Amino acid sequence: MSNQHWNLTATQTINLGQPEAPHHLIAILNLACPDTREWWLRNQLDLLTATANGQLMAHLKFWSKPKESLRNGNVAHHYINYQDQAGALAFAQQVFEEQSALRELELDDVPAYLQATYDVTVNPSAAEAVT
């Protein structure tokens, strides 16, 4: 059991479902992590169905880790616009579906790729969410 206390406000988290749902889930994700991608693609339909049916409140947290293979995901986390929860979810879903392209980039090319491919900009408040 972890003693970590996560800020689950909508300014730092994608929140799906209603707070009064009987079940809550905190998913710690990285947009460049192949294991995260596999988990997300395998479970997203069930998660979205359960949140839509009022059975689950899901909190999606994007965590930047100091690991070489995840560095492009760390950059991508700064482009999540938490003020637009539906848009933030759509962005994350698209990045997971096309993750290999993100992972293959040189670090310096990631911002231009994200802006051109997903029409996103840096979200200054996202920096607080991923540290």
Side-chain angles (χ1 to χ4, degrees):
M1 196 88 149
S2 172
N3 289 332
Q4 180 69 39
H5 296 283
W6 298 98
N7 181 341
L8 301 178
T9 64
T11 61
Q12 297 187 7
T13 308
I14 298 174
N15 293 304
L16 307 170
Q18 299 301 316
E20 59 274 358
H23 305 284
H24 286 246
L25 168 76
I26 300 173
I28 309 304
L29 312 169
N30 183 292
L31 289 171
C33 176
D35 294 327
T36 297
R37 178 186 187 272
E38 181 182 334
W39 180 86
W40 176 257
L41 294 178
R42 188 177 49 233
N43 293 292
Q44 72 173 324
L45 181 60
D46 290 337
L47 288 171
L48 297 175
T49 299
T51 57
N53 291 339
Q55 294 302 307
L56 176 68
M57 175 76 182
H59 308 279
L60 308 181
K61 297 292 295 181
F62 294 88
W63 188 25
S64 293
K65 291 184 69 174
K67 186 174 180 183
E68 184 72 19
S69 64
L70 301 180
R71 66 189 182 152
N72 291 359
N74 297 347
V75 173
H77 298 161
H78 293 275
Y79 289 80
I80 299 171
N81 181 359
Y82 294 104
Q83 288 71 37
D84 176 7
Q85 292 276 293
L89 176 61
F91 172 66
Q93 288 174 305
Q94 288 179 306
V95 173
F96 281 137
E97 290 171 12
E98 303 163 357
Q99 186 187 76
S100 61
L102 175 67
R103 290 179 53 83
E104 293 171 5
L105 294 169
E106 294 295 324
L107 185 61
D108 291 341
D109 296 331
V110 173
Y113 166 79
L114 294 170
Q115 293 166 8
T117 305
Y118 303 107
D119 192 31
V120 293
T121 58
V122 171
N123 177 8
S125 66
E128 298 172 16
V130 296
T131 55

